[in-house]
Amino acid sequence: MSFKNVNFEKDGKMVVITINRPKALNALNSETLVEIDSAIDMVAEDEDVLAVILTGAGKSFVAGADISEMKGLNAIEGRKFGILGNKVFRKLEKLEKPVIAAVNGFALGGGCEISMACDIRIASSKAKFGQPESGLGITPGFGGTQRLPRLVGLGMAKELIYTAKIIKADEAFRIGLVNKVVEPEALMDEAKALANTIINNAPIAVKLCKEAINRGIQTDIDTGAAYESEVFGECFATEDQKEGMGAFLEKRDKTFKNK
Ligand code: CAA
């Protein structure tokens, strides 16, 4: 399938999804959101893919939801647009494969929000983050009020959202919004190296770790621990558990089969 605003490149066990609408700094209009949704479906259906990198073309990661599209919306249409973005980002968050955001530039509004729906964020030193919505007369609409406080804590999230201030990559790192900051030219190599490290581990275990963490963070610790015991047990029904532990005890290299 070919897209207008999204590049989809498969390289072995990895897929790189690049949001490619550089004239609008990769702002997310409905068309682009629908294409991202389809790209996520393609990854979900491909058993060979074990990790995804999400990035932006040109100098921006994603400069937010498309302001030209939003400007004339009424309340019903605004709600519908918000539901679309939230649906796509939730699908990304629930994708049963690890997703790394390689944040190459502006990650504002919907751009910061899509990065937060990824599992891990690596930022270029040129990246900038923020939720500028209150300065536009709206609230964050694609998950910012929900994921930012979960990532950086209530006080910091409220400050960022109420002030609409834009922060640099090093500040994003300091508050825990990004995992690592690297030089711009090293960004994709760094993201790919991280993806490969994950790919070399047992895919079913990685998938279940993601599910346990994502479910657990939203529930009480007893429910979360019970779920962890479920997925932990499930691992013992896999060939890869026998392989991983066998290889350790036999002091040999392991070969996981995603089975
Ligand atoms: N929507 C639509 N178009 C956008 C856009 C956006 N979010 N961000 C940038 N563009 C367009 C600009 O309108 C401009 O188009 P033209 O060339 O046709 O004039 C083009 O991209 C280049 O942008 P600038 O000339 O502004 O580039 P710059 O380097 O001077 O500034 C910037 C870069 C600081 C990111 C600035 O473009 C900007 O502030 N963009 C808006 C950021 C923003 O407010 N994002 C939040 C949107 S609301 C949202 O996302 C809601 C939600 O939660 C769902």
Side-chain angles (χ1 to χ4, degrees), residues 36-53:
I36 296 169
D37 191 65
S38 301
I40 300 168
D41 286 341
M42 282 165 67
V43 169
E45 284 157 17
D46 190 337
E47 277 189 18
D48 296 339
V49 178
L50 300 182
V52 180
I53 296 174

PDB file of all heavy atoms in Angstrom, residues 36-53:
ATOM      1  N   ILE A  36      -1.712   6.880   9.070  1.00  0.00           N
ATOM      2  CA  ILE A  36      -0.945   6.310  10.195  1.00  0.00           C
ATOM      3  C   ILE A  36      -1.692   5.088  10.736  1.00  0.00           C
ATOM      4  O   ILE A  36      -1.099   4.049  11.019  1.00  0.00           O
ATOM      5  CB  ILE A  36      -0.724   7.360  11.314  1.00  0.00           C
ATOM      6  CG1 ILE A  36       0.142   8.509  10.802  1.00  0.00           C
ATOM      7  CG2 ILE A  36      -0.097   6.734  12.549  1.00  0.00           C
ATOM      8  CD1 ILE A  36       0.212   9.726  11.731  1.00  0.00           C
ATOM      9  N   ASP A  37      -3.010   5.207  10.816  1.00  0.00           N
ATOM     10  CA  ASP A  37      -3.846   4.093  11.293  1.00  0.00           C
ATOM     11  C   ASP A  37      -3.614   2.851  10.415  1.00  0.00           C
ATOM     12  O   ASP A  37      -3.424   1.741  10.926  1.00  0.00           O
ATOM     13  CB  ASP A  37      -5.316   4.534  11.242  1.00  0.00           C
ATOM     14  CG  ASP A  37      -6.237   3.560  11.947  1.00  0.00           C
ATOM     15  OD1 ASP A  37      -6.109   3.424  13.176  1.00  0.00           O
ATOM     16  OD2 ASP A  37      -7.058   2.921  11.258  1.00  0.00           O
ATOM     17  N   SER A  38      -3.600   3.049   9.096  1.00  0.00           N
ATOM     18  CA  SER A  38      -3.383   1.922   8.181  1.00  0.00           C
ATOM     19  C   SER A  38      -1.974   1.360   8.317  1.00  0.00           C
ATOM     20  O   SER A  38      -1.776   0.141   8.256  1.00  0.00           O
ATOM     21  CB  SER A  38      -3.589   2.345   6.727  1.00  0.00           C
ATOM     22  OG  SER A  38      -4.879   2.840   6.553  1.00  0.00           O
ATOM     23  N   ALA A  39      -1.000   2.261   8.506  1.00  0.00           N
ATOM     24  CA  ALA A  39       0.386   1.799   8.665  1.00  0.00           C
ATOM     25  C   ALA A  39       0.512   0.939   9.927  1.00  0.00           C
ATOM     26  O   ALA A  39       1.209  -0.088   9.924  1.00  0.00           O
ATOM     27  CB  ALA A  39       1.339   2.995   8.731  1.00  0.00           C
ATOM     28  N   ILE A  40      -0.186   1.328  10.991  1.00  0.00           N
ATOM     29  CA  ILE A  40      -0.149   0.530  12.235  1.00  0.00           C
ATOM     30  C   ILE A  40      -0.766  -0.850  11.965  1.00  0.00           C
ATOM     31  O   ILE A  40      -0.245  -1.874  12.405  1.00  0.00           O
ATOM     32  CB  ILE A  40      -0.890   1.246  13.394  1.00  0.00           C
ATOM     33  CG1 ILE A  40      -0.265   2.609  13.696  1.00  0.00           C
ATOM     34  CG2 ILE A  40      -0.906   0.375  14.651  1.00  0.00           C
ATOM     35  CD1 ILE A  40      -1.104   3.500  14.612  1.00  0.00           C
ATOM     36  N   ASP A  41      -1.876  -0.876  11.215  1.00  0.00           N
ATOM     37  CA  ASP A  41      -2.503  -2.159  10.877  1.00  0.00           C
ATOM     38  C   ASP A  41      -1.531  -3.052  10.110  1.00  0.00           C
ATOM     39  O   ASP A  41      -1.458  -4.260  10.355  1.00  0.00           O
ATOM     40  CB  ASP A  41      -3.763  -1.944  10.021  1.00  0.00           C
ATOM     41  CG  ASP A  41      -4.929  -1.410  10.835  1.00  0.00           C
ATOM     42  OD1 ASP A  41      -4.895  -1.547  12.079  1.00  0.00           O
ATOM     43  OD2 ASP A  41      -5.868  -0.850  10.237  1.00  0.00           O
ATOM     44  N   MET A  42      -0.804  -2.443   9.170  1.00  0.00           N
ATOM     45  CA  MET A  42       0.150  -3.235   8.372  1.00  0.00           C
ATOM     46  C   MET A  42       1.215  -3.857   9.267  1.00  0.00           C
ATOM     47  O   MET A  42       1.587  -5.021   9.101  1.00  0.00           O
ATOM     48  CB  MET A  42       0.815  -2.343   7.313  1.00  0.00           C
ATOM     49  CG  MET A  42      -0.081  -2.076   6.117  1.00  0.00           C
ATOM     50  SD  MET A  42       0.542  -0.710   5.110  1.00  0.00           S
ATOM     51  CE  MET A  42       2.053  -1.394   4.463  1.00  0.00           C
ATOM     52  N   VAL A  43       1.701  -3.092  10.223  1.00  0.00           N
ATOM     53  CA  VAL A  43       2.710  -3.613  11.155  1.00  0.00           C
ATOM     54  C   VAL A  43       2.105  -4.725  12.017  1.00  0.00           C
ATOM     55  O   VAL A  43       2.719  -5.775  12.230  1.00  0.00           O
ATOM     56  CB  VAL A  43       3.246  -2.472  12.060  1.00  0.00           C
ATOM     57  CG1 VAL A  43       4.081  -3.028  13.182  1.00  0.00           C
ATOM     58  CG2 VAL A  43       4.049  -1.469  11.251  1.00  0.00           C
ATOM     59  N   ALA A  44       0.873  -4.472  12.489  1.00  0.00           N
ATOM     60  CA  ALA A  44       0.230  -5.439  13.397  1.00  0.00           C
ATOM     61  C   ALA A  44       0.051  -6.793  12.707  1.00  0.00           C
ATOM     62  O   ALA A  44       0.188  -7.851  13.335  1.00  0.00           O
ATOM     63  CB  ALA A  44      -1.114  -4.897  13.868  1.00  0.00           C
ATOM     64  N   GLU A  45      -0.241  -6.743  11.413  1.00  0.00           N
ATOM     65  CA  GLU A  45      -0.530  -7.995  10.681  1.00  0.00           C
ATOM     66  C   GLU A  45       0.729  -8.729  10.232  1.00  0.00           C
ATOM     67  O   GLU A  45       0.637  -9.871   9.793  1.00  0.00           O
ATOM     68  CB  GLU A  45      -1.388  -7.655   9.442  1.00  0.00           C
ATOM     69  CG  GLU A  45      -2.834  -7.368   9.802  1.00  0.00           C
ATOM     70  CD  GLU A  45      -3.548  -6.522   8.750  1.00  0.00           C
ATOM     71  OE1 GLU A  45      -3.047  -6.431   7.605  1.00  0.00           O
ATOM     72  OE2 GLU A  45      -4.598  -5.945   9.085  1.00  0.00           O
ATOM     73  N   ASP A  46       1.880  -8.085  10.313  1.00  0.00           N
ATOM     74  CA  ASP A  46       3.112  -8.689   9.787  1.00  0.00           C
ATOM     75  C   ASP A  46       3.901  -9.336  10.931  1.00  0.00           C
ATOM     76  O   ASP A  46       4.558  -8.658  11.711  1.00  0.00           O
ATOM     77  CB  ASP A  46       3.953  -7.600   9.096  1.00  0.00           C
ATOM     78  CG  ASP A  46       5.119  -8.186   8.334  1.00  0.00           C
ATOM     79  OD1 ASP A  46       5.556  -9.305   8.664  1.00  0.00           O
ATOM     80  OD2 ASP A  46       5.597  -7.513   7.405  1.00  0.00           O
ATOM     81  N   GLU A  47       3.860 -10.663  10.972  1.00  0.00           N
ATOM     82  CA  GLU A  47       4.510 -11.380  12.081  1.00  0.00           C
ATOM     83  C   GLU A  47       6.016 -11.232  12.086  1.00  0.00           C
ATOM     84  O   GLU A  47       6.674 -11.440  13.110  1.00  0.00           O
ATOM     85  CB  GLU A  47       4.153 -12.869  11.997  1.00  0.00           C
ATOM     86  CG  GLU A  47       2.818 -13.168  12.612  1.00  0.00           C
ATOM     87  CD  GLU A  47       2.553 -14.661  12.735  1.00  0.00           C
ATOM     88  OE1 GLU A  47       3.510 -15.457  12.665  1.00  0.00           O
ATOM     89  OE2 GLU A  47       1.380 -15.008  12.883  1.00  0.00           O
ATOM     90  N   ASP A  48       6.581 -10.899  10.928  1.00  0.00           N
ATOM     91  CA  ASP A  48       8.047 -10.770  10.852  1.00  0.00           C
ATOM     92  C   ASP A  48       8.543  -9.491  11.527  1.00  0.00           C
ATOM     93  O   ASP A  48       9.706  -9.397  11.899  1.00  0.00           O
ATOM     94  CB  ASP A  48       8.514 -10.707   9.384  1.00  0.00           C
ATOM     95  CG  ASP A  48       8.209 -12.003   8.658  1.00  0.00           C
ATOM     96  OD1 ASP A  48       8.031 -13.024   9.347  1.00  0.00           O
ATOM     97  OD2 ASP A  48       8.129 -11.978   7.412  1.00  0.00           O
ATOM     98  N   VAL A  49       7.663  -8.501  11.648  1.00  0.00           N
ATOM     99  CA  VAL A  49       8.103  -7.206  12.203  1.00  0.00           C
ATOM    100  C   VAL A  49       8.140  -7.277  13.731  1.00  0.00           C
ATOM    101  O   VAL A  49       7.136  -7.592  14.370  1.00  0.00           O
ATOM    102  CB  VAL A  49       7.166  -6.068  11.756  1.00  0.00           C
ATOM    103  CG1 VAL A  49       7.593  -4.735  12.377  1.00  0.00           C
ATOM    104  CG2 VAL A  49       7.156  -5.944  10.240  1.00  0.00           C
ATOM    105  N   LEU A  50       9.307  -6.950  14.287  1.00  0.00           N
ATOM    106  CA  LEU A  50       9.462  -7.051  15.737  1.00  0.00           C
ATOM    107  C   LEU A  50       9.714  -5.708  16.416  1.00  0.00           C
ATOM    108  O   LEU A  50       9.760  -5.637  17.634  1.00  0.00           O
ATOM    109  CB  LEU A  50      10.611  -8.023  16.073  1.00  0.00           C
ATOM    110  CG  LEU A  50      10.436  -9.462  15.563  1.00  0.00           C
ATOM    111  CD1 LEU A  50      11.613 -10.314  16.001  1.00  0.00           C
ATOM    112  CD2 LEU A  50       9.126 -10.076  16.071  1.00  0.00           C
ATOM    113  N   ALA A  51       9.885  -4.652  15.642  1.00  0.00           N
ATOM    114  CA  ALA A  51      10.055  -3.317  16.244  1.00  0.00           C
ATOM    115  C   ALA A  51       9.731  -2.251  15.204  1.00  0.00           C
ATOM    116  O   ALA A  51       9.884  -2.469  14.002  1.00  0.00           O
ATOM    117  CB  ALA A  51      11.474  -3.120  16.759  1.00  0.00           C
ATOM    118  N   VAL A  52       9.273  -1.111  15.705  1.00  0.00           N
ATOM    119  CA  VAL A  52       8.862  -0.005  14.831  1.00  0.00           C
ATOM    120  C   VAL A  52       9.565   1.269  15.292  1.00  0.00           C
ATOM    121  O   VAL A  52       9.714   1.501  16.500  1.00  0.00           O
ATOM    122  CB  VAL A  52       7.327   0.206  14.910  1.00  0.00           C
ATOM    123  CG1 VAL A  52       6.888   1.356  14.008  1.00  0.00           C
ATOM    124  CG2 VAL A  52       6.578  -1.072  14.557  1.00  0.00           C
ATOM    125  N   ILE A  53       9.990   2.064  14.316  1.00  0.00           N
ATOM    126  CA  ILE A  53      10.500   3.412  14.627  1.00  0.00           C
ATOM    127  C   ILE A  53       9.577   4.415  13.948  1.00  0.00           C
ATOM    128  O   ILE A  53       9.222   4.251  12.780  1.00  0.00           O
ATOM    129  CB  ILE A  53      11.951   3.579  14.106  1.00  0.00           C
ATOM    130  CG1 ILE A  53      12.876   2.606  14.850  1.00  0.00           C
ATOM    131  CG2 ILE A  53      12.430   5.023  14.294  1.00  0.00           C
ATOM    132  CD1 ILE A  53      14.295   2.579  14.316  1.00  0.00           C
TER     133      ILE A  53
END
